Amino acid sequence: MKQMSLRSMFLLLFTIAFSIGLFALCYLSFTNGDDWTSFPANRHIYKNGTIVNAGDITDRDGVVLATTEEGKRIYNPDFYIRVSTLHAVGDLKGFIKTGLSTSHWDTLTGYNRVTGLFSAKSGGNNIELTLSAKVNTVALKALGNYSGAVGVYNYKTGEVVCMVSSPTYDPTKEGKEDKGIYINRFLSSSYPPGSTFKLVTAIAALETLDDAETRTYVCDHGTTVEGETISCMSKHGEMTLREALAKSCNAYFSQLAIDLGADTLQKYADKLGLNSAAEIDGIKAKSGRIDLSNIRKVDLGWAGMGQYTDLVNPLGYLTVMGAIANEGKAVKPYLIESVTSADGIKFGSSSTDYTSQLFSRTTANKLKEMMRYTVSSTYGDHRFPGLSVCAKTGTAEVDEGITPHSWFVGFNMNDDYPLAFVVVAENAGAGVGVARTVANKTLQAAKELF
Ligand SMILES: [Zn+2]
């Protein structure tokens, strides 16, 4: 009897040890399987260090952005299509980590995560994107020599129609030495938001202050907080929120931020997702950073208008624009419309997905009206023919003596063209200049999609 129990005990221990081992193997193979298989030595996927046997990547109109011919990866013959869609499509060697050729190599090559096998037919799966090569081309040309990012999406469906990052390069040629070219600035960078952040402060005010629309602050070429000056470009006098947003008054928003308090502003920055990494088709973007802990009063004033240490990520910001346009609840942006197998079977079609209610419908509609007024009264509707743009500029100070970043963010109010956008042009000066021009050119091209 005693011997039996010892034997069962041994068997039991053996079974447990075996199960742990099996579990560990399954776990490791599931979590690392991709790395093991995509290791460049694996000749199924890589040949001479470049990806082969991958399916086509096409834009929303069926324009082939990348394909495989006789074991060789080929890009679109048009130079501007190649370079403007490169950060979405990815390069041959996997340097652009967020490019689909790297992030979705398993889908493209037909690798099955569970079986570890490739689909029987060579050529893998095809990925159809929501992007428009045409709109991307226009956006990149509009950016000219400026580094930066342009993102435009349909705030009703979630389709990203434009995603451009500059600088870029021709994937058929060797990349430059500069590592910065491999970064998709729309997904993997964070920038000081400058005055575009006044929208976040406005949301916090509209959500928490009963008199948000009627309370006034005085601007005397700025304001003084605890002996330190926060300057403003004009002497705006006494203003309400609506006027202060349209004129982008620093004095108003710094005093408003101080009255809201660090906790409230922090709460809304967090709620809007500005401190979390946004995601698009499983690709993780960089998180922004709004940290108002242990902040001095005067710095809270600066933070409330997008300076201090504030940083935002363009994709995260685009989602916030989508939420303002869409009654406080954003449609999540996506890039992959569908995936089709080598034998023509469509699977993995995307569907419209929403964020939680980020702020109330009332707040969204009030802010929408204010952003509309900002465009019609300050920038001028004639600058956006055929559109009813709601927007905010930003001129984000970087370091002393360096030209600030130029921002233009917002959306078209008209449901016929439900487009939200984020444009940032690095060291391009006032938002009302370069970024505004890039936004209009890109929107005019995106309008043609409807
Ligand atoms: Zn002012």
Side-chain angles (χ1 to χ4, degrees), residues 59-71:
D59 89 335
R60 62 182 299 119
D61 300 314
V63 174
V64 178
L65 306 177
T67 185
T68 303
E69 274 173 27
E70 294 168 3

Side-chain angles (χ1 to χ4, degrees), residues 61-82:
D61 300 314
V63 174
V64 178
L65 306 177
T67 185
T68 303
E69 274 173 27
E70 294 168 3
K72 218 179 147 210
R73 201 69 175 145
I74 311 275
Y75 284 82
N76 190 286
D78 181 280
F79 172 78
Y80 271 104
I81 291 180
R82 272 200 309 277

Side-chain angles (χ1 to χ4, degrees), residues 384-449:
F384 309 95
L387 297 166
S388 307
V389 174
C390 305
K392 181 75 195 80
T393 51
T395 308
E397 302 290 339
V398 262
D399 287 314
E400 211 160 314
I402 295 178
T403 313
H405 296 332
S406 173
W407 279 94
F408 201 69
V409 302
F411 51 89
N412 181 48
M413 195 167 74
N414 187 336
D415 267 7
D416 291 345
Y417 314 116
L419 298 163
F421 57 89
V422 165
V423 176
V424 55
E426 295 174 23
N427 312 115
V432 74
V434 176
R436 195 256 312 148
T437 311
V438 174
N440 178 54
K441 285 183 179 169
T442 310
L443 289 173
Q444 296 299 332
K447 223 173 94 179
E448 301 300 316
L449 303 173

Side-chain angles (χ1 to χ4, degrees), residues 219 222 232 234 236 239 249-251:
C219 168
C232 188
S234 293
H236 290 120
M239 309 179 96
C249 177
N250 288 349

